Amino acid sequence: MRDRLRRWLFSLYNLWKVKSIQLILTISFTVITLGVMIVVSVILYDKFAETAERNAHLSNQQIVEQVNYNLELYLRGMTDVFGSLEQRLRDTGIGSGGEPALLEPFETIAGTRKDLVSMTLLTLDGEPIFSLPSGGMREGLRLREQGWFQAALDRPNSLTFSLPHIQNLYKGQYKWVVSMTKVVPVVRAGRTENAVLLVDINFSTIDELCRRVSLGNKGYVYIIDEGAGNMIYHPQQQLIYIGLKYENVEQVLKYAYGSFTDEQGGERRLVTIKTVSGVGWKIVGVSYMDEIMTARKEISGFMVWLLVVVIVFVLLISAFMSARISRPIKRLERSMRRVEQGDFDLHVPVGGEDEVGRLSRQFNVMVGRIGELVEQNIREQEAKRRSELEVLQSQINPHFLYNTLNTVVRMAGSGKGEDVVTMITSLSKFFRISLSRGQNIIPVADELDHVRNYLIIQKVRYKNQFEFQITADEQVTGLLTMKLLLQPLVENAIYHGVELMPDPGRIEVRANVCDGKLRFQVRDNGLGIREERLREIRQELYGLGGSPANGKTNDSTTRGDGSGVGVKNVHERIRLRYGEPYGLVMESEPEEGTTVTLWLPLLREGGRKE
């Protein structure tokens, strides 16, 4: 399957290559314009849709807050009425006829407020002391078992509001009410005692406040209490009671204020919550997302039609423009084919001062100078070979100078005089060998001394995070080598090997003679290199078909704090000077370490090669 897909893509690529420039320009203009339009359309669509959704959220929140404000205002007014009745009762007490002094103010208020249904004063044992209206109370009510009565006893110092219920205290009255109750002190028969004051308000007013709210065509508002989540008001309350409708009150109870989305009956809904202060009721606004997203559908439809119109328009314009652009290019193409066949005496007519005209003019100049450029190219290739060696050599500069000097400053500030001397001495020797009076070939002993000083500096900088060992056979005495070959490899061993190890690492540098060649080895016991990565590095070094991903190498050329010279540059320097039999070999095992081997010819004093 993979091979078939590869062949199909290759055929498509070959088909594209043989297409005319006019078709390519037409398709390119169309694709670019279409791509830009799609990107702009997506951005505008997201922006408009986001704005519409945010406005819907804000609108829902404002509506719920308005309901909350109206309800709080209403309940605050009823609380004030209750407070005035309580204060009048507290100040004047109960008269000799058993009627409290608040009879007249209650009747006055009841005459102006139709939502004030009844007032009852009860002993703590549930016996009526006084009641209005005066039509008589029903018998066998067991008032102490009423929820509003128990709420008043449980919170004797607070005004409590009951859930909506049918008021059945008085004969002939069956109204939906919300009961306000509180334990109040009264003076009765010359002594003060506690009694329960009950004031019933008509629930129709609260019902009216909520029914007038509109949250789209299907949205609504309902009210629950914050304790057990009991339903106080719902526009479909009967369906709630018989279990045909469900509200996610468990999730609502987690919020005092805010919004969330849920799904019910396959429809996504936006739920907005606001808590009524002083009462503990939660006002919940529910709106349906499909109504909120109507703007998105309208925007998406407009964008589709806009794209269709733009595509047709762009195709026509692109076909016309590409034909005008490709005509002189095709003429130049025919002339170039004649030159390809060896007709260097050809002179292409210049048809204008545009890009194609200038290209034709330069083409004529190019044909006349081909022979001259061939000769010049031979000379430049030789100069390039020499300059590449100089450029590679010039890249070897120790960029870690600033970090090393900062380390010296910190050590001096800490009073580590001996360490400062060691660092400065090593740094001095390091740069002395790096410069080498401009010489590129130095003794092997100097190269080993150079890398030793580098390791001393880095060991201090890395706070003894690694140990090192440098050994050399007697056979290498008197041999010469290119300078600055080992330091980049040691730098890699530190940065990519032992630096990331949790335990102290070890770096070994060895020089000896093997198989008639000078061999340097840099070995570390660090993290090693993955097999795939090692294969990529070898392919880049030796060109064994393919190239590393993204052109990256596992060396210090990609690090800002490295030497600026990596494995590849070291290998190229050796190859440029000594040829293909010499160079660099890398071996590594993950979690075992890495070994880099350099092979060089045996050079004696005077540059004599053995």
Side-chain angles (χ1 to χ4, degrees), residues 310-326:
V310 169
I311 290 174
V312 174
F313 179 78
V314 169
L315 279 173
L316 296 176
I317 297 299
S318 299
F320 175 75
M321 295 300 297
S322 60
R324 294 200 50 160
I325 294 173
S326 62

Side-chain angles (χ1 to χ4, degrees), residues 141-407:
L141 294 176
R142 298 182 181 180
L143 298 179
R144 284 187 57 86
E145 298 179 4
Q146 299 286 341
W148 50 263
F149 195 97
Q150 291 296 325
L153 296 181
D154 293 339
R155 301 171 61 188
N157 298 321
S158 301
L159 176 62
T160 62
F161 289 80
S162 73
L163 296 176
H165 62 280
I166 296 178
Q167 197 257 40
N168 61 350
L169 299 181
Y170 297 93
K171 297 178 181 179
Q173 292 192 13
Y174 298 96
K175 297 180 179 180
W176 276 91
V177 297
V178 172
S179 298
M180 298 187 297
T181 54
K182 184 179 181 182
V183 175
V184 298
V186 297
V187 178
R188 185 182 182 193
R191 63 187 182 89
T192 302
E193 63 180 68
N194 288 333
V196 175
L197 178 60
L198 165 67
V199 176
D200 288 326
I201 58 176
N202 200 325
F203 182 68
S204 61
T205 303
I206 298 176
D207 183 83
E208 183 68 20
L209 287 174
C210 297
R211 285 190 184 277
R212 286 185 296 181
V213 176
S214 175
L215 292 174
N217 295 327
K218 298 187 294 184
Y220 54 87
V221 169
Y222 67 91
I223 305 174
I224 62 173
D225 72 334
E226 66 176 355
N230 295 314
M231 195 66 63
I232 296 174
Y233 164 80
H234 196 287
Q236 300 173 341
Q237 195 134 344
Q238 297 300 325
L239 297 179
I240 295 287
Y241 287 157
I242 63 178
L244 295 180
K245 188 172 182 60
Y246 168 77
E247 295 292 350
N248 190 7
V249 296
E250 295 84 0
Q251 184 72 11
V252 172
L253 291 174
K254 298 178 182 179
Y255 292 81
Y257 175 80
S259 301
F260 67 88
T261 58
D262 68 356
E263 186 169 334
Q264 188 178 94
E267 293 183 298
R268 291 183 66 243
R269 312 184 308 167
L270 173 64
V271 182
T272 306
I273 305 104
K274 179 72 175 179
T275 301
V276 182
S277 61
V279 182
W281 295 352
K282 291 182 181 294
I283 301 175
V284 184
V286 178
S287 57
Y288 287 81
M289 298 298 290
D290 58 347
E291 295 183 340
I292 297 176
M293 296 298 109
T294 302
R296 282 196 174 190
K297 296 178 181 178
E298 295 175 355
I299 295 171
S300 60
F302 171 77
M303 291 298 180
V304 170
W305 280 108
L306 180 61
L307 284 177
V308 172
V309 172
V310 169
I311 290 174
V312 174
F313 179 78
V314 169
L315 279 173
L316 296 176
I317 297 299
S318 299
F320 175 75
M321 295 300 297
S322 60
R324 294 200 50 160
I325 294 173
S326 62
R327 190 177 299 113
I329 297 178
K330 289 181 178 179
R331 184 171 59 246
L332 180 60
E333 178 189 13
R334 291 191 295 269
S335 301
M336 294 182 68
R337 287 178 180 174
R338 293 176 58 185
V339 173
E340 184 179 342
Q341 296 172 1
D343 186 4
F344 294 105
D345 297 328
L346 176 68
H347 182 80
V348 178
V350 179
E353 293 298 327
D354 57 6
E355 288 82 359
V356 178
R358 291 193 294 270
L359 179 62
S360 300
R361 189 178 294 107
Q362 293 300 321
F363 176 78
N364 293 329
V365 174
M366 179 193 68
V367 173
R369 296 185 57 191
I370 284 180
E372 179 181 353
L373 292 177
V374 170
E375 185 66 25
Q376 181 181 350
N377 185 58
I378 296 175
R379 295 193 301 269
E380 288 178 351
Q381 287 298 321
E382 185 65 27
K384 180 182 177 182
R385 181 178 177 85
R386 293 193 301 269
S387 64
E388 283 181 344
L389 182 60
E390 295 173 0
V391 169
L392 290 174
Q393 181 65 51
S394 66
Q395 290 178 349
I396 309 176
N397 292 314
H399 292 169
F400 69 102
L401 173 60
Y402 291 145
N403 291 334
T404 302
L405 293 178
N406 287 335
T407 303

